Amino acid sequence: MEQRIDELLGNLYEKTQSLALLVEKKDSDVDEWMGYLDEREQLMQDIQALVQEGFIFTADQKEQLLQMSEINARILPQMDLRKQELTQKIGNIQQNKAVRQFYNSEGPSGYGAFFDQKK
């Protein structure tokens, strides 16, 4: 069982490091994050199942968990900031779309402009 938990923790640490590098990269795609987050979630569920069976972590394993916790604490604010930025962009897009739909339904005078032609 200990070999299995070491393997799971190693994979979780690797995924956490990869996610941190991706999040810290300025132009990274948020959709890429989802793959790492899903994989990490599955690994954490597997570890949780072993803990529920009565597994107790060694000192080295606890240290590795602490390192992952520190990485998470470092990247979570960055992820939240990116989430807020995306939420704001989506809101702006929806607002612009609503304005366009409103003015397009008003017809030519909906733009508030009058074009006079001199003959």
Side-chain angles (χ1 to χ4, degrees):
M1 185 186 301
E2 187 159 335
Q3 183 180 6
R4 173 79 176 133
I5 198 84
D6 283 338
E7 179 183 326
L8 289 172
L9 284 174
N11 288 340
L12 182 61
Y13 185 78
E14 179 184 319
K15 297 297 178 191
T16 302
Q17 286 283 60
S18 298
L19 178 63
L21 291 174
L22 194 59
V23 168
E24 291 170 347
K25 195 166 113 178
K26 188 69 173 168
D27 298 333
S28 65
D29 185 18
V30 176
D31 290 333
E32 288 181 57
W33 299 3
M34 296 308 293
Y36 286 104
L37 291 170
D38 291 340
E39 291 171 6
R40 282 176 23 137
E41 180 67 28
Q42 183 59 48
L43 290 167
M44 286 187 269
Q45 288 175 359
D46 294 344
I47 292 170
Q48 183 65 31
L50 291 175
V51 169
Q52 288 177 349
E53 291 176 10
F55 180 81
I56 299 174
F57 293 110
T58 65
D60 290 340
Q61 292 166 339
K62 287 179 183 179
E63 179 64 30
Q64 195 173 22
L65 287 169
L66 182 61
Q67 290 173 356
M68 285 185 273
S69 177
E70 291 170 356
I71 293 170
N72 285 335
R74 187 179 76 224
I75 65 173
L76 281 176
Q78 294 173 349
M79 293 174 78
D80 286 338
L81 181 62
R82 185 73 70 88
K83 179 183 172 186
Q84 290 173 358
E85 290 172 358
L86 290 174
T87 302
Q88 184 177 10
K89 285 181 182 179
I90 289 171
N92 290 341
I93 290 170
Q94 290 174 338
Q95 184 179 13
N96 290 339
K97 183 178 176 183
V99 167
R100 274 194 310 266
Q101 287 177 344
F102 175 76
Y103 284 116
N104 285 340
S105 67
E106 294 293 318
S109 64
Y111 290 105
F114 177 77
F115 298 100
D116 188 15
Q117 293 181 347
K118 293 188 178 185
K119 293 185 181 188

